[in-house]
């Protein structure tokens, strides 16, 4: 994108002080237009009249910021009658039309290569591009009758077996997670109680999965022991009636486990 350069010392430059603020506003607006249109500093008279007034243009010419037809500045090009030229446009750091167009062409070529799949210039004549098929008889090409690798299939989903039990790895992972969260580890009786409830919940909800170890670990991590007599109580918040029912169910499970 082209730009119109304004020096950081412009506010104190003699020519700027000689022109009033309204004229400087016109100078800035026209500078933006010139940069966009790539006129290399030339200002058509009709454009100047569209953005400013005759007194403002006269002030810019008198201050030496603009030139009109017949000017004598040796560093600036000739101006057609009725038009203007921004003094020292190129010397002030503004890019020329040729520079802007060259940069645009370079950027467009870079994008074209990126869209075509090449991050580098096209290969020299005779060199096969990377995305082309290998020619017939290429030694690196696999034979047509070569066995293909087996396609991976998603594991089948099924309900939890009635005798499913967590592995030692599952139990250890759940115990480690509980210790990391500041919760006491589960006893063997509590692990068995959690497992029974886990199987019932998966069966009641008709949950189907390919593996159950990870689900059980999360279930066991979210259980807490309260009171410390072996009764396992869910960690999530419950109402008072839910707590009573859960406590009775846990006590019933403990009694059944103790008589087994």
């Amino acid at each position: 994108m082209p730009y119109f350069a304004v020096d950081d010392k412009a506010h104190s430059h003699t020519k700027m002080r000689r022109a009033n603020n309204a004229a400087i506003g016109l100078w800035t607006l026209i500078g933006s237009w010139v940069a966009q249109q790539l006129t290399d500093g030339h200002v058509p008279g009709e454009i100047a009249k569209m953005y400013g007034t005759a007194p403002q243009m006269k002030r810019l010419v008198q201050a030496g910021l603009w030139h009109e037809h017949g000017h004598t500045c040796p560093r600036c090009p000739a101006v057609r009658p009725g038009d203007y030229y921004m003094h020292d446009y190129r010397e002030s750091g503004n890019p020329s039309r040729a520079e802007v167009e060259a940069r645009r062409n370079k950027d467009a070529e870079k994008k074209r290569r990126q869209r075509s799949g090449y991050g580098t210039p096209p290969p020299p004549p005779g060199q096969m591009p990377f995305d082309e098929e290998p020619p017939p008889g290429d030694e690196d090409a696999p034979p047509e009758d070569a066995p293909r690798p087996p396609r991976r299939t998603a594991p089948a989903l099924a309900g939890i077996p009635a005798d499913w039990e967590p592995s030692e790895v599952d139990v250890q992972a759940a115990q480690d997670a509980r210790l990391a969260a500041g919760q006491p580890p589960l006893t063997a009786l509590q692990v068995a109680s959690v497992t029974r409830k886990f199987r019932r919940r998966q069966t009641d909800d008709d949950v189907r999965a390919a593996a159950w170890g990870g689900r059980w670990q999360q279930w066991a991590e979210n259980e807490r022991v309260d009171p410390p007599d072996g009764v396992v109580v869910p960690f999530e918040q419950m109402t008072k009636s839910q707590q009573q029912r859960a406590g009775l169910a846990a006590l019933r499970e403990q009694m059944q486990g103790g008589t087994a």
Side-chain angles (χ1 to χ4, degrees), residues 106-126:
K106 182 178 179 181
D107 293 342
E109 177 65 15
K110 182 179 179 181
K111 292 180 180 179
R112 186 192 66 78
R113 291 176 181 173
Q114 291 174 345
R115 287 192 298 266
S116 63
Y118 291 101
T120 56

Side-chain angles (χ1 to χ4, degrees), residues 154-197:
L157 305 181
I160 189 169
D163 59 348
W164 182 89
E165 294 288 341
S167 66
E168 294 183 1
V169 176
D170 296 333
V171 174
Q172 187 61 50
Q175 301 285 41
D176 292 343
R178 290 179 63 84
L179 290 174
Q183 296 292 327
L186 300 174
T187 65
L189 179 61
Q190 293 162 355
V191 170
S193 177
V194 169
T195 303
R196 286 196 298 272
K197 291 193 296 183

Side-chain angles (χ1 to χ4, degrees), residues 4 18 24 29 84 89 102 156 161-162 184 196 203-204 212 215 237:
F4 176 59
R18 195 179 303 164
I24 295 302
L29 288 175
Y84 299 92
Y89 180 81
R196 286 196 298 272
T203 302
D204 293 344
W212 301 97
R215 292 172 176 266
Q237 297 292 333

Side-chain angles (χ1 to χ4, degrees), residues 70-91:
H71 73 87
T72 59
C73 178
R75 296 197 303 270
C76 297
V79 182
R80 296 182 306 178
D83 291 350
Y84 299 92
Y85 183 81
M86 304 191 75
H87 174 70
D88 279 352
Y89 180 81
R90 290 287 293 113
E91 289 75 8

Side-chain angles (χ1 to χ4, degrees), residues 4-260:
F4 176 59
V6 179
D7 191 274
D8 60 356
K9 298 183 180 63
H11 63 90
S12 59
H13 196 278
T14 304
K15 292 184 178 181
M16 291 291 184
R17 290 183 175 181
R18 195 179 303 164
N20 59 18
N21 289 341
I24 295 302
L26 174 61
W27 177 81
T28 305
L29 288 175
I30 293 297
S32 173
W33 184 92
V34 166
Q36 181 190 49
Q37 300 299 322
L38 303 179
T39 66
D40 286 342
H42 291 275
V43 183
E46 59 272 18
I47 298 298
K49 294 176 183 179
M50 184 172 65
Y51 284 97
T53 63
Q56 294 168 354
M57 302 174 206
K58 184 176 180 181
R59 276 186 172 273
L60 292 177
V61 173
Q62 291 176 344
L65 294 173
W66 278 11
H67 296 312
E68 57 185 354
H69 176 67
H71 73 87
T72 59
C73 178
R75 296 197 303 270
C76 297
V79 182
R80 296 182 306 178
D83 291 350
Y84 299 92
Y85 183 81
M86 304 191 75
H87 174 70
D88 279 352
Y89 180 81
R90 290 287 293 113
E91 289 75 8
S92 299
N94 295 293
S96 66
R97 182 188 189 94
E99 292 172 344
V100 173
E101 290 180 343
R103 184 171 64 249
R104 287 176 176 175
N105 292 335
K106 182 178 179 181
D107 293 342
E109 177 65 15
K110 182 179 179 181
K111 292 180 180 179
R112 186 192 66 78
R113 291 176 181 173
Q114 291 174 345
R115 287 192 298 266
S116 63
Y118 291 101
T120 56
Q127 180 178 339
M128 183 183 68
F130 294 116
D131 57 350
E132 286 188 5
E133 293 293 335
D138 192 340
E139 296 180 356
D140 294 334
E144 295 182 358
D145 58 348
R148 297 184 178 182
R151 179 180 297 179
R152 291 187 177 182
T153 57
L157 305 181
I160 189 169
D163 59 348
W164 182 89
E165 294 288 341
S167 66
E168 294 183 1
V169 176
D170 296 333
V171 174
Q172 187 61 50
Q175 301 285 41
D176 292 343
R178 290 179 63 84
L179 290 174
Q183 296 292 327
L186 300 174
T187 65
L189 179 61
Q190 293 162 355
V191 170
S193 177
V194 169
T195 303
R196 286 196 298 272
K197 291 193 296 183
F198 175 76
R199 287 197 302 260
R200 284 201 303 270
R201 174 61 65 84
Q202 308 311 307
T203 302
D204 293 344
D205 294 347
D206 194 23
V207 178
R208 298 188 173 273
W212 301 97
R215 292 172 176 266
W216 181 91
Q217 291 176 27
Q218 185 177 9
W219 184 287
E221 292 170 13
N222 293 330
E223 297 282 337
R224 72 179 182 186
V225 179
D226 185 25
D229 56 358
V231 180
V232 179
V233 180
F235 185 75
E236 60 270 12
Q237 297 292 333
M238 297 185 296
T239 64
K240 186 174 182 180
S241 60
Q242 288 175 333
Q243 292 175 359
Q244 291 175 349
R245 289 196 298 269
L248 290 174
L251 180 60
R252 188 180 304 110
E253 287 186 2
Q254 184 183 25
M255 294 176 64
Q256 291 175 354
T259 58

